[in-house]
Each structure stands twice: as C-alpha cells, then as structure tokens.
Amino acid sequence: MPLHVYQDRKRLKWDNGFMISEHTAMMANEKKEREFIWPAKELMTKDEIDRILYEAKLKNRAVAIQKEEMNEEGLYSPDVTGKIQGYDELGVFISGQKVDYDEIRSVEFFEEKKWSDLS
C-alpha cells in the first residue's frame, strides 16, 4: 500500500479565523463599549467640584470624572474613574492619569465593583 504525502494547506487553514468563544465574546464586548454614547452630565460649579474632590480625598473614596473634552464625533469620552492618587495646583491624578481642574465637567462618587461580584 503506497503512502500518501500529506499536503499542508499552509495559510488557508488559518485564514478562516479560528477563534475561541471567550475571545470572540471579549471582542464583541469591547466593540459595544466603544460604540456606547456617553451622555452629557450636568455642568457643575467649581465649588461643587471642589467639595466632592475634597471629600473623596479625605474619605479615600472613588470618583467618576467627566471631562469637558469631546472626540471628533462630538461625543464625550468615558469617565475617568478611581481613587485620587495625588493632586497639585493644576489638577488631580486618578488611575495614573492627570485631570486638570479646568477640564472637569462633572464629578460624582463612584462605587467600584469587586471582581467577585456576580450581579
């Protein structure tokens, strides 16, 4: 009985996009987050912003800050969330990102969900 030499299909077998379901679900979730339209929050006064930032720093609470800037489509970016890591005369540092005081449109306390929370 003659042996048949296996012919590898080379790239053909990989071009069909074999992906595991977890990866596909993750990509779909990221696309949904990118397409989400962040609504404009109520414009707060400087005193209201200062009061909430002061209390958040004092009590070590997380905040969600909506910046005044918009993207090229005229939509707001996602909120900057986290605990205040530091501050200077120009702004605050949250989650490794500096947010200048004059960029803040709205700030509110934020409840961080634990990774173990299934709800």
Side-chain angles (χ1 to χ4, degrees), residues 78-94:
D79 292 349
V80 178
T81 59
K83 292 185 179 179
I84 298 174
Q85 298 168 324
Y87 57 92
D88 61 16
E89 64 275 355
L90 298 176
V92 293
F93 294 91
I94 298 176

Side-chain angles (χ1 to χ4, degrees), residues 39-51:
K41 295 182 180 176
E42 184 177 332
L43 184 61
M44 297 174 74
T45 65
K46 183 184 180 316
D47 290 336
E48 292 172 324
I49 293 169
D50 289 344
R51 182 183 55 77

Side-chain angles (χ1 to χ4, degrees), residues 38-43 64-69 76-80 99 103-108:
W38 295 92
K41 295 182 180 176
E42 184 177 332
L43 184 61
I65 295 178
Q66 184 175 49
K67 294 169 105 179
E68 193 65 57
E69 69 183 15
Y76 288 100
S77 300
D79 292 349
V80 178
V99 180
E103 291 180 315
I104 299 174
R105 175 180 179 81
S106 174
V107 62
E108 60 191 11

Side-chain angles (χ1 to χ4, degrees), residues 4-6 14 17 21 24 37 42 45-47 76-77 85 94-95 99 110 117:
H4 295 287
V5 178
Y6 174 73
W14 301 111
S21 61
T24 305
I37 297 174
E42 184 177 332
T45 65
K46 183 184 180 316
D47 290 336
Y76 288 100
S77 300
Q85 298 168 324
I94 298 176
S95 300
V99 180
F110 177 73
D117 187 11

Side-chain angles (χ1 to χ4, degrees), residues 9-58:
R9 296 180 291 162
K10 307 223 183 320
R11 286 187 47 113
L12 180 65
K13 63 183 174 186
W14 301 111
D15 286 343
N16 291 333
F18 291 107
M19 296 208 173
I20 59 174
S21 61
E22 291 88 3
H23 187 252
T24 305
M26 182 184 70
M27 288 176 43
N29 193 24
E30 285 178 0
K31 181 180 179 191
K32 188 169 90 174
E33 285 178 7
R34 282 192 309 269
E35 292 174 348
F36 180 78
I37 297 174
W38 295 92
K41 295 182 180 176
E42 184 177 332
L43 184 61
M44 297 174 74
T45 65
K46 183 184 180 316
D47 290 336
E48 292 172 324
I49 293 169
D50 289 344
R51 182 183 55 77
I52 292 177
L53 289 176
Y54 175 76
E55 187 176 341
K57 181 65 178 161
L58 188 67

